[in-house]
Amino acid sequence: EIQKLAEQSNSSAQTIQQIIEELLVASESTVKIMEDARGVIQEQQSKLDMTKDCLVDVNQGIEESKEGIVAI
């Protein structure tokens, strides 16, 4: 009976170890995905900032054109 309980305990311990290893792999994968997403978000933010700057320049050009037309 003790031998049977020991075998069950050993089997349960192995199952727990396997679950822990799978969780570690899944966690590492999640961290990698989050790091990749952060890089994409930072790149998008940079492009949005550049787009904003371009639109501000276009708006200033339009305002200057309007002022030039009014002056004529």
Side-chain angles (χ1 to χ4, degrees):
E1 187 67 29
I2 293 175
Q3 178 67 26
K4 185 176 179 182
L5 290 174
E7 288 173 0
Q8 287 176 345
S9 178
N10 187 38
S11 176
S12 294
Q14 289 176 352
T15 300
I16 292 169
Q17 180 65 31
Q18 182 180 2
I19 291 170
I20 290 171
E21 289 173 2
E22 290 172 1
L23 287 172
L24 286 172
V25 169
S27 294
E28 290 171 356
S29 176
T30 301
V31 168
K32 173 74 170 113
I33 290 168
M34 290 173 60
E35 289 173 348
D36 291 346
R38 183 181 347 169
V40 169
I41 290 169
Q42 288 174 341
E43 183 179 338
Q44 288 178 345
Q45 182 63 49
S46 175
K47 289 180 180 181
L48 284 171
D49 290 341
M50 289 178 4
T51 301
K52 177 186 166 196
D53 292 342
C54 288
L55 290 173
V56 167
D57 290 344
V58 167
N59 190 45
Q60 287 176 345
I62 291 171
E63 291 299 321
E64 290 173 5
S65 294
K66 284 174 31 181
E67 290 171 5
I69 291 171
V70 169
I72 295 176

